[in-house]
Amino acid sequence: MFDLARRASLFAATAFALALAAPQGPALADVPESSDPIKLAVLEWTGQHITTYIAGQVLERMGYTVEYVTAGSFPSANGTADGDLSATLELWNNNLGDYWPQLLAEGKAEDIGDVGLDAREGWIYPKYVEASCPGLPAWDAFLGCAELFATPETLPNGRFLEYPADWGDRATRLIVENSLAFESVPAGSEGALIAELKSAIEKQQPLVMMFWAPHWVLSTVEYGWVDIPADLVEKYSMNKPHTIKTAWPGLKDKWPAAYKLLKALKITNEIQQPLMDLVDNQGQDVREVTAKWLDENEAVWRAWVDQAMM
Amino acid sequence: MTGPAAFRAWGRRQGGKAMALADHTLRPRGVLGLDLSDPTLQAWLMAAGVVALVFILAGFAPWLTKLPDTFVVPLNDWFNDAMTWFVGVAKPVFRAISWAVEFPMSWLQGLLHWLPWPAVFIGVAAIAYRAGGRRLVLFSLAAMLYMLVTGYWAPSMNTLALVGVSVPVSLAIGFFMGLLAFKSRAAERIIQPTLDLMQTVPTFAYLIPILLLFGLGPVVGLIASAIYAAPPMVRNTILGLQRVPPEIIESGRMSGCTSRQVLWWVQVPSAVPTLMIGVNQTVMAALSMVIIAAVIGSFADIGWELLNTLRKAEFGRSLLAGVCIVLIAMVLDRISRGFAERQAGVRDHGPKGIARYRGAALVLAAMAVAVVLATFIEPLHEYPRAWEFVPKEPLDAIVSFVNTTFPATLEWIKVKALFFFLLPIQKGFVAIAKPTSWGFEVTPLVQVIYAVVVAGLAYGASRIGGWKGALAVILFGGVYFIGMLNVPWPVFFLVVGLLAYQAAGRGIALMALAFMAFMLLSGVWHQTMVSIYLCGAAVIVSNLIGCAVGTWAALDDRVSRVVGPIVDLLQTMPAFVYLIPVIMFFQVGDLPALLAIISYAIAPAIRYTEHGIRNVRPDAVEAAQAIGCTSRQILFQVKLPLAVPEIMLGVNQVIMFALAMLTVSALVGTKELGQEVYRALTSADPGRGAIAGLSMAFIAIVADRIVQAWAAQRKKALGL
């Protein structure tokens, strides 16, 4: 899993790194710059928990005190702007609402770069639907099968399950503005989206809905993405959601090294997805899972620490 | 009620002659047996004319059906500007409060986490023993064991810390507000409507202002729950102080007390039993806020656990977490009620005098021993994860079993409920009846048949309930025909205004009109109509089922013993838990929302009906028995009519509960005021949230006033 050569070079790299070789080793001379706890927002989904606990545990091993604060979406935005939260990691621009972009634009919260996830968004259907609609995932075949997805309320149109109303209505606009034979129904919450997916699969019923990857539920089901034509994808910005890290603007002055570390932090699908599986499908504790990951992947995170200490 | 009065009331239900005789007035009868000189009836006949006119005019003036956006007053922006200004000025003060309140909270949280679980067991058991004896001890121990074994110990302790600090804050605020209202008429005039708003504006609506003022932290949840939980304490404080017999106060004065001394040494102590009821209600209200506080976060409590499981649609886990909340609520309820009854002198389980302190010392010593032991024996300090037992799979399996075994039945229920109940009320029979749904098109002939059927039903209803019964049928028939969303707003104004006027007088009618104007002009009329449609449908079903079950429980003790705990469970289990299976069975839409609302709102219907029937004056029943009524006649012609005022209070509660559930049903995608509140939350638009929240409160207040007045009228008419 790790690159030995890189690991060796890292070991030799700096005195800082050596000092850090022992987990929870003595704090570095300049770190922490302040003994106040760095507060990281714990939002509502597992991927974000993994990203946050990895970041937090690296910070702890650098000698910082870290506090994990559970927060909803709006409270986290407000908290990050006020400094009640030092950083909120892994925000998805596809379900951000209006407030976060506004704060970032006004400079009340700072965008400190991409998380590193290779995210995807689009319309998914359970794999077995291909049996009753053979042309899938081709767009024309999908449009031809509209009636297959119909329910009593939407007849003769197909039923399309849309994101909750407060996440935006891009799919609905695509459907309405292009007069597709579908009627979009907003889900109301992420739980509702997943409950519908689980239920449809149990009953082997047709379902098409707006969704995104990586998501833990996708490792438990067989599914396909509808091939939406490139011009529509472009027009309704339905290609790649990106995931960003945000920080309280005061972070870089109060804890410069921690700020640089969070900037350097990169969590890829390869890191996140197996851990998500351990937590969501095997019921392990997220803190234990990330601590174990840190023990086994020192090379990866020590590279971030190096960047932070430069 | 005296014997003859009861008999008269009974006689009134005997239809035609007996009714007229009992009323002492034989009025001339007009068309169809209607008394056209009755001014209330005249008003409705005139209203019918106006309604017809509005429908004709609506064809030419579409603004009668939907007010154009240009008329909408930008209340929203005004509110936001005011809010921004206020936050700018007052933020430091509120942040200081926030900082100060956080201390006791994190201290209590720290204490509960530091104490090893056996010590908490001992402490709670001791309190339970003082409050309710051995049975309560066993129950509390079982409840705590459940939290421990299912792995929810830590979040449960956080919840306890939250409640432990928010309840005293609510009690203090509540007591002093109550005292103020008791002392000063002017203060009472401000406090009473404030209480209504505190209890009816959904918490989500004021989360944004609280967050902006106090900043992110556990304090936000605390303030939110303190606001919601204080009103019962205020009400009970006022009531308790008012009920102190004047002789006691007199004797206080005579022994030379100053008025301050009379208050603190005489009035307050005499009011303690009522105050304790307020404490109990406040505890329960604070607990019902746990889940709401979790949405803000910053406190990893049991509500947060529940929200996480909801997000993953894990029914089994969410039910297990939900049961923790139910158990905490039941233990706290029994304990606080136990103390309340002890204060009232009903019973006392504790030892007296010096033995009491000996007992307390013994408990503290035992807790200390537990703390010491736990430092050596790790499982006593922290319950090992390996010993946890989380039976979530069987629970999930039950849902899957139903889902996969009866898909056709579930589909049938859904289709029937939608086409024959929900959709007509929402969009109208005219729009919904199609060959695919009802089996026919709405032709002019069908419309005529519809009118004839409604007229027939109205006639039938008039035989039971007079012209008011017929009116109810006609109103419902009209709504069912054109749909709630297509009712022109002037018609709605007229009907509600007239109802309010006749039931509760001019003041309430004017208030109702002002509130409706607010909703219309602030641009949330459509959402208001959706809310009323959804709540109305839920209220109808809840009352039909609830009254039937309540009646059955009142007649059969065995049924009552089964129903009682179920009602407790329905009221304390966060409704979020039911959302997952309901969505799995019926898919996202109005039906899951309706079922979620009913699951919560049905409880008071059952409870009040049972209570009402059980508490019918025995002399009325005996009188009926004496003249040879069958038990069926006694039920339908004596007990039920006499229980009507109480049942009406149940209806009132059902309406309040249904409205409170709108913010939960928004999670299944409904487009009502609750959804507005959510969208305001995610777009940080406090003005939008405030408007939607106030609209919900206004609906609740108007409905409350009308139903209360109506119940009072019935009560008076029955001579109760």
Side-chain angles (χ1 to χ4, degrees):
Chain A
M1 195 159 175
F2 4 91
D3 179 355
L4 272 180
R6 192 163 143 232
R7 197 175 169 198
S9 71
L10 276 167
F11 262 98
T14 59
F16 290 138
L18 276 176
L20 281 163
Q24 271 135 26
L28 296 157
D30 307 339
V31 173
E33 302 90 338
S34 157
S35 60
D36 291 348
I38 297 180
K39 294 181 181 172
L40 298 182
V42 175
L43 301 183
E44 295 153 334
W45 61 98
T46 312
Q48 201 270 348
H49 296 174
I50 290 168
T51 304
T52 303
Y53 283 112
I54 289 180
Q57 286 166 353
V58 172
L59 287 173
E60 280 166 5
R61 293 187 190 196
M62 287 169 79
Y64 289 103
T65 318
V66 180
E67 199 174 296
Y68 302 93
V69 183
T70 55
S73 169
F74 167 72
S76 72
N78 200 46
T80 311
D82 278 346
D84 291 330
L85 289 170
S86 315
T88 302
L89 306 173
E90 199 184 310
L91 289 172
W92 289 63
N93 73 338
N94 57 349
N95 61 6
L96 221 47
D98 306 330
Y99 193 46
W100 264 111
Q102 189 189 324
L103 286 179
L104 293 170
E106 289 171 8
K108 289 180 181 163
E110 190 184 345
D111 179 346
I112 53 169
D114 275 2
V115 174
L117 291 172
D118 183 17
R120 176 168 186 184
E121 186 177 49
W123 299 5
I124 65 161
Y125 57 86
K127 206 72 178 170
Y128 56 79
V129 180
E130 286 177 6
S132 27
C133 182
L136 276 178
W139 181 245
D140 290 330
F142 169 71
L143 294 184
C145 294
E147 208 155 329
L148 179 71
F149 298 99
T151 60
E153 309 104 288
T154 64
L155 266 174
N157 290 332
R159 179 173 181 272
F160 179 87
L161 192 63
E162 165 71 298
Y163 277 163
D166 48 343
W167 296 6
D169 59 350
R170 287 165 294 147
T172 309
R173 279 193 289 122
L174 193 159
I175 288 169
V176 173
E177 289 171 16
N178 297 281
S179 333
L180 305 189
F182 281 90
E183 192 177 317
S184 106
V185 178
S189 58
E190 184 184 338
L193 282 167
I194 293 167
E196 281 241 10
L197 183 64
K198 280 185 181 173
S199 171
I201 289 172
E202 276 180 10
K203 295 191 220 176
Q204 298 281 301
Q205 277 178 346
L207 173 73
V208 57
M209 65 189 215
M210 186 86 173
F211 214 68
W212 70 98
H215 188 284
W216 65 270
V217 83
L218 295 182
S219 65
T220 64
V221 299
E222 290 188 17
Y223 66 101
W225 297 95
V226 177
D227 270 337
I228 307 173
D231 56 323
L232 291 180
V233 166
E234 195 58 41
K235 189 171 172 196
Y236 297 96
S237 52
M238 215 169 287
N239 38 3
K240 268 183 181 294
H242 59 263
T243 50
I244 57 167
K245 300 170 286 184
T246 60
W248 168 53
L251 179 70
K252 59 172 154 316
D253 303 321
K254 191 165 180 185
W255 296 284
Y259 171 78
K260 284 194 216 152
L261 179 104
L262 292 178
K263 257 192 132 160
L265 178 85
K266 278 272 173 281
I267 305 291
T268 58
N269 294 18
E270 289 71 37
I271 298 176
Q272 208 185 65
Q273 235 153 5
L275 301 186
M276 239 187 309
D277 185 58
L278 290 178
V279 175
D280 282 319
N281 300 324
Q282 298 183 34
Q284 297 190 26
D285 185 81
V286 63
R287 294 181 194 222
E288 288 168 17
V289 166
T290 50
K292 193 152 169 264
W293 183 87
L294 252 65
D295 292 341
E296 290 170 358
N297 297 274
E298 289 169 10
V300 180
W301 59 266
R302 219 172 269 125
W304 305 332
V305 177
D306 283 348
Q307 287 183 45
M309 303 314 275
M310 267 192 303
Chain B
M1 186 197 257
T2 56
F7 202 68
R8 198 171 67 213
W10 166 77
R12 181 172 297 151
R13 291 283 132 195
Q14 292 292 302
K17 264 184 194 164
M19 186 171 144
L21 282 170
D23 276 338
H24 303 294
T25 44
L26 273 170
R27 292 193 182 123
R29 312 207 128 211
V31 195
L32 283 169
L34 293 175
D35 170 16
L36 290 175
S37 66
D38 181 351
T40 50
L41 178 59
Q42 285 171 353
W44 281 105
L45 291 175
M46 263 167 9
V50 177
V51 168
L53 195 68
V54 170
F55 273 103
I56 294 166
L57 288 178
F60 308 102
W63 56 269
L64 284 174
T65 349
K66 191 187 177 297
L67 199 70
D69 291 342
T70 42
F71 283 86
V72 170
V73 182
L75 276 177
N76 192 341
D77 298 338
W78 299 345
F79 187 93
N80 285 346
D81 291 343
M83 189 72 213
T84 312
W85 173 81
F86 183 70
V87 169
V89 177
K91 199 165 162 178
V93 181
F94 284 94
R95 291 294 157 109
I97 298 174
S98 175
W99 184 78
V101 179
E102 206 168 326
F103 273 115
M105 197 145 166
S106 44
W107 180 82
L108 186 59
Q109 189 187 12
L111 177 74
L112 284 171
H113 280 288
W114 173 79
L115 279 178
W117 59 267
V120 179
F121 269 54
I122 295 170
V124 173
I127 297 172
Y129 182 73
R130 298 268 290 131
R134 204 166 295 158
R135 282 186 62 171
L136 189 54
V137 172
L138 286 178
F139 179 68
S140 323
L141 287 177
M144 286 187 290
L145 195 66
Y146 172 89
M147 292 166 211
L148 200 64
V149 170
T150 49
Y152 286 121
W153 183 254
S156 297
M157 287 303 108
N158 282 341
T159 299
L160 214 53
L162 190 68
V163 176
V165 179
S166 85
V167 165
V169 172
S170 294
L171 292 180
I173 297 174
F175 178 76
F176 283 103
M177 270 174 85
L179 198 59
L180 198 64
F182 175 71
K183 292 287 233 184
S184 139
R185 271 238 149 267
E188 198 195 353
R189 234 169 267 143
I190 301 169
I191 286 174
Q192 285 291 0
T194 312
L195 293 183
D196 285 334
L197 287 182
M198 284 164 86
Q199 281 185 304
T200 51
V201 174
T203 317
F204 283 117
Y206 50 78
L207 282 187
I208 304 173
I210 299 183
L211 255 167
L212 291 173
L213 287 171
F214 290 95
L216 180 71
V219 178
V220 177
L222 185 118
I223 304 284
S225 80
I227 292 177
Y228 180 73
M233 190 62 198
V234 185
R235 296 213 156 112
N236 279 291
T237 306
I238 300 175
L239 198 69
L241 291 174
Q242 280 170 349
R243 274 192 189 162
V244 175
E247 304 88 65
I248 299 187
I249 300 171
E250 241 0 83
S251 67
R253 289 242 170 76
M254 285 196 301
S255 34
C257 291
T258 63
S259 59
R260 172 176 294 225
Q261 286 168 329
V262 168
L263 177 68
W264 290 105
W265 295 354
V266 180
Q267 285 171 301
V268 172
S270 321
V272 162
T274 318
L275 294 182
M276 288 306 289
I277 295 172
V279 173
N280 175 268
Q281 288 175 5
T282 297
V283 169
M284 298 311 279
L287 259 173
S288 71
M289 287 300 296
V290 161
I291 188 91
I292 310 287
V295 172
I296 315 161
S298 87
F299 211 67
D301 62 347
I302 196 87
W304 179 258
E305 292 288 322
L306 190 55
L307 280 187
N308 276 331
T309 59
L310 182 76
R311 205 181 158 108
K312 292 185 200 164
E314 288 185 328
F315 171 68
R317 258 188 190 286
S318 72
L319 186 67
L320 291 173
V323 169
C324 284
I325 297 184
V326 172
L327 289 175
I328 296 177
M330 285 170 80
V331 170
L332 289 180
D333 173 56
R334 304 291 187 272
I335 288 180
S336 58
R337 212 188 306 160
F339 281 119
E341 281 171 9
R342 227 184 45 169
Q343 288 293 340
V346 177
R347 56 197 161 92
D348 191 347
H349 290 279
K352 308 270 180 315
I354 199 86
R356 200 171 181 170
Y357 299 103
R358 207 181 292 150
L362 209 65
V363 169
L364 285 177
M367 287 172 75
V369 171
V371 171
V372 174
L373 278 181
T375 52
F376 298 110
I377 309 168
E378 182 54 26
L380 287 184
H381 179 242
E382 195 167 333
Y383 187 81
R385 273 178 75 94
W387 296 1
E388 279 172 13
F389 175 66
V390 188
K392 58 182 169 121
E393 284 86 3
L395 295 170
D396 286 329
I398 295 173
V399 175
S400 297
F401 174 78
V402 175
N403 199 27
T404 50
T405 318
F406 310 106
T409 318
L410 294 172
E411 188 68 17
W412 184 86
I413 295 174
K414 178 178 141 189
V415 169
K416 298 295 172 210
L418 280 172
F419 283 131
F420 296 97
F421 187 62
L422 284 174
L423 287 173
I425 299 180
Q426 187 195 359
K427 295 177 179 161
F429 169 78
V430 201
I432 294 306
K434 294 267 160 56
T436 48
S437 54
W438 282 64
F440 51 79
E441 287 287 350
V442 183
T443 57
L445 177 68
V446 169
Q447 299 196 13
V448 171
I449 296 175
Y450 185 94
V452 171
V453 169
V454 171
L457 289 173
Y459 179 71
S462 73
R463 303 281 297 183
I464 306 170
W467 66 265
K468 286 178 183 165
L471 177 70
V473 170
I474 291 169
L475 285 178
F476 183 78
V479 168
Y480 195 86
F481 188 74
I482 61 163
M484 199 71 209
L485 301 186
N486 301 320
V487 174
W489 58 266
V491 172
F492 197 83
F493 271 55
L494 183 69
V495 170
V496 173
L498 204 51
L499 270 177
Y501 178 72
Q502 295 188 346
R506 188 189 294 166
I508 301 296
L510 287 176
M511 183 181 82
L513 289 175
F515 286 174
M516 286 187 287
F518 171 85
M519 296 171 211
L520 185 71
L521 294 176
S522 58
V524 292
W525 189 251
H526 178 79
Q527 288 88 339
T528 303
M529 286 297 116
V530 179
S531 307
I532 292 177
Y533 134 72
L534 207 53
C535 283
V539 168
I540 292 172
V541 178
S542 302
N543 280 317
L544 286 178
I545 302 177
C547 290
V549 173
T551 309
W552 192 22
L555 300 178
D556 190 334
D557 285 342
R558 277 171 307 172
V559 176
S560 178
R561 271 197 294 276
V562 177
V563 169
I566 294 178
V567 171
D568 277 345
L569 193 77
L570 285 174
Q571 262 191 321
T572 40
M573 179 75 83
F576 289 81
V577 172
Y578 319 122
L579 287 182
I580 302 158
V582 175
I583 293 171
M584 291 191 72
F585 296 157
F586 300 113
Q587 295 184 308
V588 160
D590 285 358
L591 183 58
L594 180 82
L595 293 176
I597 297 175
I598 292 173
S599 69
Y600 184 60
I602 199 171
I606 299 177
R607 207 168 260 165
Y608 279 79
T609 308
E610 182 181 352
H611 189 253
I613 295 180
R614 276 184 186 270
N615 289 309
V616 166
R617 292 287 290 258
D619 48 355
V621 180
E622 276 161 25
Q625 277 165 342
I627 60 163
C629 289
T630 63
S631 57
R632 191 196 191 93
Q633 283 171 326
I634 291 180
L635 175 62
F636 284 102
Q637 297 179 344
V638 180
K639 284 187 175 175
L640 272 175
L642 285 175
V644 161
E646 184 108 2
I647 295 175
M648 292 304 297
L649 292 181
V651 171
N652 189 25
Q653 289 297 305
V654 170
I655 298 174
M656 301 300 125
F657 278 40
L659 282 165
M661 279 297 289
L662 282 180
T663 41
V664 174
S665 72
L667 290 176
V668 273
T670 52
K671 293 165 189 161
E672 27 70 14
L673 291 166
Q675 188 68 262
E676 276 293 294
V677 170
Y678 262 108
R679 297 192 68 163
L681 201 59
T682 46
S683 55
D685 188 342
R688 191 178 184 181
I691 288 171
L694 279 176
S695 299
M696 288 165 83
F698 289 166
I699 300 174
I701 291 171
V702 171
D704 174 73
R705 295 299 183 278
I706 294 179
V707 176
Q708 294 268 19
W710 191 8
Q713 274 182 16
R714 289 296 313 157
K715 220 167 170 173
K716 216 168 138 196
L718 289 167
L720 289 170

